[in-house]
Amino acid sequence: MAHSRRHFIKKASAGLGLMPLSILVNSSAETNAQPLNIVCVGGHPDDPESGCGGTLIKLAKAGHKITVIYLTRGEAGIPGKSHDEAAAIRTREAMAACEIMQAKPVFAGQVDGETIVDNEWVEKLLGLLNPLTPDIVFTHWPVDTHKDHQCASLLTIQAYFRMQRSFRLYFFEVCTGEQTAIFHPTEYVDISKVQELKRKAVYCHASQDPPGIYNCGHAAMEDFRGREMGTKAAEAFVKMTGTLFAG
């Protein structure tokens, strides 16, 4: 019996089969089925782009719906600018990057450098995720030196459990070695053909010194993960499983 891709993913979430992420991103949305809903939750503008921008672009090109939720607008991210000024600049940059990634930007409303994890914010994130009915969600690896990255990750993990594991959850890395720590990938995505398009999305964030973002390790990460996968460039992920945080 033929099944829609959405039905397949729902079955996969229930443990009845699983399409690897590397295959999924290369599979076009079927003409007789609705595209998958893909969501990325990042701490600041530029995090989703640098962490998994290539994968998001490939999924968009495959016909799936992409939403990027920025926990903050990067209010504290431009020296010499007020929070309001920086937020306005970085919001414009995020919107330009999302246009390249064919993604819809959403701003959750927390403040850069002052992010929190509590029941109220778990409910607020649920309020953003539930209407999107995500099939796949990407977010930061929770073991990260940046508190905002941790908060984005922990809020997403809580949403994952409260939504009864109704979506597949993947963690991405940023500035591995300086920020992301003890990251051991379980899946890889070849981004060789969209690497330059990802770079254009990252470079939309002119206020954040894009060359510095790549010098923070992202160029090396794309190259090294590509070597691990056997391709020119790749992004790596850890897939959430029931035993990931088991003692």
Side-chain angles (χ1 to χ4, degrees), residues 10-236:
K10 295 303 183 185
K11 285 178 63 180
S13 297
L16 300 177
L18 189 60
M19 181 185 292
L21 186 60
S22 60
I23 294 176
L24 175 61
V25 296
N26 291 312
S27 302
S28 296
E30 297 168 355
T31 57
N32 63 343
Q34 292 185 351
L36 296 175
N37 293 322
I38 313 296
V39 179
C40 180
V41 181
H44 321 91
D46 80 34
D47 287 329
E49 294 85 337
S50 59
C52 62
T55 299
L56 296 179
I57 289 168
K58 290 191 74 170
L59 285 163
K61 285 182 172 294
H64 303 298
K65 297 179 180 178
I66 314 297
T67 301
V68 175
I69 298 176
Y70 298 101
L71 187 60
T72 77
R73 293 178 185 263
E75 292 87 346
I78 306 179
K81 298 290 185 182
S82 70
H83 274 33
D84 287 345
E85 290 172 327
I89 292 168
R90 299 194 68 185
T91 296
R92 289 194 296 270
E93 293 173 342
M95 293 176 70
C98 282
E99 186 171 346
I100 291 173
M101 297 189 297
Q102 301 178 59
K104 176 185 177 181
V106 174
F107 299 92
Q110 288 215 39
V111 177
D112 184 6
E114 301 175 18
T115 56
I116 59 174
V117 176
D118 61 15
N119 290 338
E120 179 182 355
W121 271 102
V122 170
E123 291 301 322
K124 286 184 178 180
L125 184 58
L126 284 170
L128 294 175
L129 288 175
N130 273 317
L132 297 173
T133 60
D135 296 291
I136 296 175
V137 176
F138 298 96
T139 194
H140 291 274
W141 178 240
V143 186
D144 194 291
T145 59
H146 201 306
K147 183 175 75 72
D148 294 345
H149 297 177
Q150 293 181 10
C151 288
S153 183
L154 294 175
L155 288 169
T156 306
I157 291 169
Q158 279 298 307
Y160 171 77
F161 288 126
R162 297 191 189 204
M163 292 174 71
Q164 302 298 308
R165 300 173 173 85
S166 61
F167 54 81
R168 291 162 64 179
L169 178 58
Y170 294 93
F171 302 104
F172 58 80
E173 56 183 337
V174 291
C175 291
T176 290
E178 293 185 30
Q179 294 185 348
T180 298
I182 57 172
F183 188 85
H184 302 292
T186 60
E187 299 204 35
Y188 298 81
V189 172
D190 179 5
I191 65 165
S192 302
K193 293 183 178 180
V194 298
Q195 189 177 21
E196 287 307 311
L197 203 54
K198 171 185 175 177
R199 182 177 288 268
K200 287 182 180 180
V202 173
Y203 267 71
C204 286
H205 298 278
S207 70
Q208 299 307 294
D209 179 25
I213 292 175
Y214 276 96
N215 289 336
C216 182
H218 285 276
M221 287 157 53
E222 291 176 14
D223 177 72
F224 181 69
R225 298 311 184 191
R227 289 172 183 269
E228 288 184 312
M229 189 182 187
T231 64
K232 176 178 177 288
E235 290 172 342

